[in-house]
Amino acid sequence: MATQSLPSTLRRLWRHRWTDEADVRRVLPAETLERLKARVAASERRHRGEVRICIEAGLPWSYIQRGAPARERAITLFGKLRVWDTAENNGVLIYLLLAEHAIEIVADRGIDAHVSAEEWAAMARRMASAFREGRFEDGLTQALEEVSALLVAHFPLAEGAPDRNELPDEPVLVV
């Protein structure tokens, strides 16, 4: 955890309080969220893993006060959303923190054992590139496709086997 000066903490607090639900809805309107939900469902019919997308407007005060990074919050939400609680430990959380334009991909140990840290980081960089161009849906769709390809490669769903769908498919908005 980083120690921040008071002015730095206040700037960060302002940025996180200024970013709100309207900002989330602007970059990801309801119809986009529905398409993302459908894409997650389609993805999960091809593998035994689980994927969650989580978009947060700004961090809670307790994170800002102690200078906690977006990664810490993503890991907390990974637990709260029960992404860690899949039968084969193969859940993946794609987390976007709008106030800081931060992207985190948190993977459970089953899939993480097959994917290098650099692969996850490269995926986040590609998403960030799309986001900088204002293409939020495209960036999230691309990341979802890349995560799906990894899950299909390492946890394919046998032909004719039912999708257990252990977690909800809709993106989570934390505002």
Side-chain angles (χ1 to χ4, degrees):
M1 288 178 248
T3 303
Q4 295 180 315
S5 67
L6 182 58
S8 174
T9 299
L10 290 175
R11 279 192 303 276
R12 190 175 190 214
L13 175 63
W14 178 254
R15 187 172 58 242
H16 283 264
R17 292 301 156 251
W18 186 259
T19 308
D20 62 10
E21 183 175 3
D23 295 298
V24 173
R25 299 288 180 188
R26 180 180 45 78
V27 299
L28 294 166
E31 54 276 1
T32 299
L33 295 173
E34 281 301 314
R35 285 191 297 271
L36 289 169
K37 176 183 175 181
R39 288 180 181 125
V40 168
S43 161
E44 291 179 356
R45 287 191 291 270
R46 299 175 25 230
H47 55 74
R48 299 185 317 272
E50 293 293 322
V51 181
R52 295 298 317 259
I53 297 172
C54 180
I55 302 93
E56 185 163 31
L59 291 173
W61 166 244
S62 62
Y63 286 78
I64 295 165
Q65 184 178 26
R66 64 179 195 279
R71 180 80 181 172
E72 182 180 323
R73 179 64 172 167
I75 291 169
T76 297
L77 289 168
F78 180 84
K80 284 185 175 189
L81 297 172
R82 303 186 63 86
V83 182
W84 60 269
D85 197 22
T86 60
E88 296 185 63
N89 300 310
N90 55 7
V92 178
L93 175 68
I94 300 170
Y95 173 78
L96 170 60
L97 176 60
L98 284 183
E100 294 186 1
H101 304 148
I103 299 163
E104 296 292 339
I105 300 171
V106 182
D108 205 347
R109 62 187 178 271
I111 184 63
D112 198 45
H114 298 284
V115 182
S116 72
E118 178 51 38
E119 286 178 272
W120 294 123
M123 197 179 302
R125 284 192 301 271
R126 287 187 288 275
M127 273 182 22
S129 177
F131 293 168
R132 278 191 298 276
E133 297 170 3
R135 299 181 302 108
F136 289 89
E137 182 176 2
D138 291 345
L140 286 166
T141 298
Q142 179 181 354
L144 175 59
E145 289 172 1
E146 291 180 43
V147 168
S148 296
L150 292 169
L151 288 166
V152 166
H154 301 291
F155 297 92
L157 190 62
E159 191 169 326
D163 170 25
R164 292 174 37 188
N165 204 23
E166 300 173 80
L167 299 171
D169 297 330
E170 65 268 8
V172 175
L173 304 182
V174 182
V175 290

